[in-house]
């Protein structure tokens, strides 16, 4: 195989892994907002843990899709057209999540915040499930013909592997979020996250394990069993660390589960980037789906210059907001002078209450 197509296959795998690793706990926290607590200050505490980083983490998704489009246009065209319907739901879910986070604190009622929490949780679930299903189908196959076009109706993509991948992504996001909350919070939220990780961590990772093993058996790899075994050991290490109260090690364990597991998946399917379930001769590979060497060379130079900058500013943001967050860090309700004078005859005398505005979360996040 040519060097540049292989290099960009590795780059695409790293970008998808980076998205699941970083935005995974954001999506998990969004889903946990629905069930983990009924206390408003604790929900604000949870939301503020991801407030400074969630939009930066989402950049990995945009970069992965853009890199796929630029480096492997046939892979991009076949995958995104075959999965048009589920990816629409993913887009809707991401919109719900973003709007819920940004506008949660703009309302003045409990009802407004409840609907924002529902939008955040539902949007996070749709995004996690849809992207997991898409990645699972990328590695197990779609009914595509010799031209890369999908054969079948609008739901031809909905297979047991799609369901398995969606559940794998949702389960990992919940586990990863529990580890993240244990690392980033203190008080009841921290204890509840640790309890969730200890009680439900291993069962929630079973779909991810099933996806990894299924790809392993389908492709018959040998050395990749080492990666699978490493992922299992990392999962047990993270669970044991959570039981012992070592949140940092628990988070490292869940992160290693994803890196090793997804690494084994992409290593097993190489050089195929999108298998055809109709005929092996119609597989898309790094050779027949990639762009020209000139284009890949230009992309390599651009990525080599831009990627270090992205890693630096994202690492800096994590460093600034590295401390644990407690409910004591959330500002109390207070009155502020209105930026715009109220109309004549309005009830407000020139001040407005911030009693409800801080409940949105991200604007309250600050280094401890």
């Amino acid at each position: 195989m040519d060097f540049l197509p292989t290099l960009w296959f590795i780059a695409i795998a790293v970008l998808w892994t980076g998205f699941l690793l970083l935005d995974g706990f954001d999506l998990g926290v969004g889903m946990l907002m629905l069930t983990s607590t009924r206390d408003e200050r604790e929900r604000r505490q949870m939301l503020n843990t991801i407030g400074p980083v969630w939009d930066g983490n989402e950049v990995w998704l945009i970069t992965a899709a853009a890199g796929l489009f630029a480096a492997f246009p046939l892979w991009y065209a076949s995958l995104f057209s075959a999965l048009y319907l589920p990816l629409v739901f993913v887009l809707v879910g991401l919109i719900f999540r973003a709007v819920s986070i940004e506008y949660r604190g703009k309302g003045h009622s409990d009802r407004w915040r409840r609907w924002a929490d529902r939008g955040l949780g539902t949007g996070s679930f749709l995004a996690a499930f849809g992207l997991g299903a898409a990645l699972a189908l990328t590695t197990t196959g779609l009914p595509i013909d010799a031209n890369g076009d999908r054969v079948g109706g609008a739901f031809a993509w909905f297979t047991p592997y799609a369901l398995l991948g969606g559940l794998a992504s949702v389960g990992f996001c919940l586990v990863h979020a529990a580890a993240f909350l244990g690392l980033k919070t203190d008080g009841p939220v921290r204890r509840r996250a640790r309890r969730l990780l200890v009680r439900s961590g291993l069962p929630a990772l079973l779909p991810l394990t099933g996806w990894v093993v299924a790809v392993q058996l389908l492709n018959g790899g040998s050395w990749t069993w080492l990666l699978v075994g490493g992922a299992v050991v990392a999962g047990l290490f993270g669970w044991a660390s959570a039981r012992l109260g070592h949140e940092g090690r628990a988070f490292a364990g869940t992160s290693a589960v994803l890196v090793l597991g997804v690494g084994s998946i992409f290593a097993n399917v190489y050089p195929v980037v999108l298998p055809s379930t109709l005929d092996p001769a119609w597989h898309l590979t790094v050779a027949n789906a990639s762009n020209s060497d000139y284009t890949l060379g230009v992309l390599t130079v651009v990525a080599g210059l831009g990627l270090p900058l992205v890693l630096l500013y994202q690492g800096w943001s994590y460093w600034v907001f590295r401390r644990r967050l407690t409910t004591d860090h959330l500002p109390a309700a207070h009155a502020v002078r209105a930026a715009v004078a109220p109309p004549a005859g309005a009830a407000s005398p020139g001040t407005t209450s911030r009693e409800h505005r801080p409940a949105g979360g991200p604007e309250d996040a600050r280094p401890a």
Side-chain angles (χ1 to χ4, degrees):
M1 291 297 172
D2 293 337
F3 172 72
L4 286 177
T6 300
L7 177 64
W8 273 94
F9 175 81
I10 297 173
I12 296 300
V14 170
L15 289 171
W16 281 117
T17 304
F19 168 73
L20 291 174
L21 185 65
L22 295 177
D23 207 42
F25 59 75
D26 295 337
L27 297 171
V29 169
M31 288 183 278
L32 289 176
M33 289 277 290
L34 291 175
T35 59
S36 62
T37 178
R38 296 182 180 180
D39 182 85
E40 174 60 22
R41 289 186 67 82
E42 290 181 4
R43 283 194 291 267
R44 288 173 56 195
Q45 181 186 7
M46 292 172 59
L47 190 55
N48 275 274
T49 60
I50 65 173
V53 297
W54 72 270
D55 46 356
N57 293 339
E58 203 169 85
V59 169
W60 286 80
L61 173 62
I62 300 171
T63 308
L68 191 65
F69 171 77
F72 298 98
L74 293 181
W75 182 8
Y76 175 91
S78 297
L79 181 66
F80 278 61
S81 60
L83 301 179
Y84 186 86
L85 184 60
L87 289 178
V88 167
F89 286 107
V90 170
L91 181 61
V92 171
L94 292 173
I95 293 173
F96 276 8
R97 181 179 74 150
V99 172
S100 298
I101 291 176
E102 295 294 343
Y103 284 87
R104 186 180 188 275
K106 305 303 188 288
H108 297 271
S109 67
D110 292 335
R111 182 181 181 184
W112 174 274
R113 291 192 291 271
R114 283 196 302 269
W115 278 107
D117 292 341
R118 291 168 185 167
L120 174 57
T122 303
S124 298
F125 174 82
L126 287 175
F129 185 90
L131 290 170
L135 289 177
L137 292 171
T138 299
T139 55
T140 57
L142 281 166
I144 56 174
D145 59 20
N147 296 320
D149 298 327
R150 184 195 67 210
V151 176
F155 292 93
W157 59 272
F158 193 71
T159 66
Y161 287 122
L163 181 61
L164 180 64
L167 293 177
S169 179
V170 170
F172 170 77
C173 288
L174 290 172
V175 171
H176 203 42
F180 177 76
L181 289 173
L183 181 65
K184 289 291 295 179
T185 63
D186 209 348
V189 172
R190 178 185 181 184
R191 294 190 294 269
R192 195 177 300 113
R194 175 188 172 188
R195 187 164 58 248
L196 175 65
L197 188 56
V198 171
R199 292 181 178 178
S200 306
L202 294 181
L205 290 176
L206 286 179
L208 178 59
T209 305
W211 176 21
V212 172
V213 173
V215 174
Q216 182 72 36
L217 296 176
L218 285 172
N219 295 274
S222 54
W223 68 271
T224 49
W225 278 110
L226 295 175
L227 296 177
V228 176
V232 173
V233 171
L236 294 174
F237 172 77
W239 176 78
S241 299
R243 288 197 64 184
L244 296 174
H246 301 310
E247 287 93 350
R249 296 177 184 177
F251 185 77
T254 59
S255 301
V257 167
L258 180 78
V259 172
L260 294 172
V262 175
S264 73
I265 289 173
F266 279 99
N268 272 308
V269 299
Y270 177 84
V272 177
V273 297
L274 185 59
S276 171
T277 58
L278 303 178
D279 190 335
W282 297 339
H283 288 344
L284 294 181
T285 67
V286 294
N288 62 25
S290 64
N291 218 324
S292 66
D293 284 345
Y294 176 79
T295 301
L296 294 179
V298 173
L299 290 175
T300 302
V301 174
V302 173
L305 296 175
L307 185 60
L309 297 177
V310 173
L311 295 176
L312 281 174
Y313 83 68
Q314 197 160 25
W316 176 82
S317 66
Y318 276 96
W319 175 257
V320 170
F321 295 97
R322 65 189 181 278
R323 302 294 181 86
R324 290 186 183 274
L325 182 67
T326 69
T327 54
D328 294 334
H329 293 129
L330 302 177
H334 57 283
V336 296
R337 185 169 298 279
V340 179
S348 174
T351 61
T352 183
S353 172
R354 283 187 57 116
E355 180 179 357
H356 298 288
R357 189 177 185 276
E363 66 269 26
D364 302 333
R366 55 173 63 90

